[in-house]
Amino acid sequence: MDNAKEFVTQHDLLTIIEDFVSKAAGLTLSKGVDGEIAIHQKGDSKKIKLKNIELADVLVRKDAEGREFVQINFGTGRKILLTDQLIGFKPFPVPDLDVTKLPKVVTTLDLLSVFEAIEESVSSSDGTAKPDESETLKHVFHSILLGGEDVGFDLSVERSWIKRLPVHTSKASA
């Protein structure tokens, strides 16, 4: 796209996204009806649907290493980032968690890593649970989950993971 553009249409914004995704190793794109597209993330098979009328701006940028990524700004103020492999988004603020201590951009793949850390802290190999650590990790998990849902990911399966965790009880007397 030319930097001297005076008027950009919704179609132009979709074209920028389509061009980037067509070159991305970890993303694929499918087109729907009425200007809707779905971007699929190969790493965990998650997808996000975008409607052209939701798009406010699409910016092609470079990270610190010079790799291109796309920033998609929605009319609602939400935004996502497309990299060669992943779709990134902001963690969502949750009570009892300082989100400034989290990365500015997270992905749906982070949910699995955080969940595994929760499992480990709930039932460590030496039989001692770490309730403070597991509570903090649960807040991190919910922050990422809500951030992903806020930008349009269906994370109902991941939401159910927390329900499968054992309830913390003291096993020292057992």
Side-chain angles (χ1 to χ4, degrees):
M1 295 297 302
D2 186 5
N3 285 342
K5 62 187 176 214
E6 291 183 24
F7 181 73
V8 177
T9 66
Q10 298 305 108
H11 177 70
D12 294 334
L13 297 177
L14 279 178
T15 300
I16 295 168
I17 296 168
E18 290 171 9
D19 288 348
F20 181 82
V21 172
S22 72
K23 299 174 206 159
L27 304 174
T28 60
L29 184 131
S30 59
K31 293 184 181 186
V33 293
D34 297 328
E36 181 177 278
I37 61 172
I39 301 171
H40 303 261
Q41 187 172 259
K42 293 178 185 177
D44 63 359
S45 300
K46 291 294 178 191
K47 71 178 175 185
I48 188 166
K49 292 182 181 179
L50 310 175
K51 294 181 181 173
N52 62 1
I53 59 170
E54 298 174 324
L55 303 177
D57 205 2
V58 176
L59 308 166
V60 178
R61 306 175 77 189
K62 291 192 179 200
D63 66 14
E65 286 83 40
R67 295 178 301 230
E68 278 193 349
F69 67 93
V70 171
Q71 177 179 321
I72 300 172
N73 298 332
F74 298 97
T76 61
R78 300 174 307 153
K79 70 174 74 169
I80 60 173
L81 302 178
L82 304 179
T83 69
D84 184 57
Q85 297 289 325
L86 301 167
I87 302 166
F89 51 89
K90 288 182 178 182
F92 197 85
V94 296
D96 300 321
L97 179 68
D98 182 1
V99 290
T100 63
K101 294 187 179 188
L102 297 180
K104 289 183 181 182
V105 178
V106 294
T107 72
T108 55
L109 289 172
D110 292 324
L111 287 169
L112 180 58
S113 300
V114 173
F115 183 74
E116 288 172 344
I118 294 169
E119 285 182 312
E120 189 175 305
S121 71
V122 168
S123 56
S124 61
S125 60
D126 63 5
T128 59
K130 301 171 189 156
D132 290 343
E133 182 179 321
S134 66
E135 282 307 308
T136 299
L137 288 168
K138 286 178 186 176
H139 292 310
V140 171
F141 182 87
H142 281 105
S143 177
I144 297 169
L145 181 92
L146 292 171
E149 289 177 338
D150 187 50
V151 297
F153 281 105
D154 174 7
L155 299 173
S156 53
V157 170
E158 290 77 2
R159 185 175 280 282
S160 71
W161 291 352
I162 291 291
K163 296 173 186 164
R164 297 187 322 216
L165 288 172
V167 177
H168 170 65
T169 57
S170 177
K171 295 183 180 181
S173 60

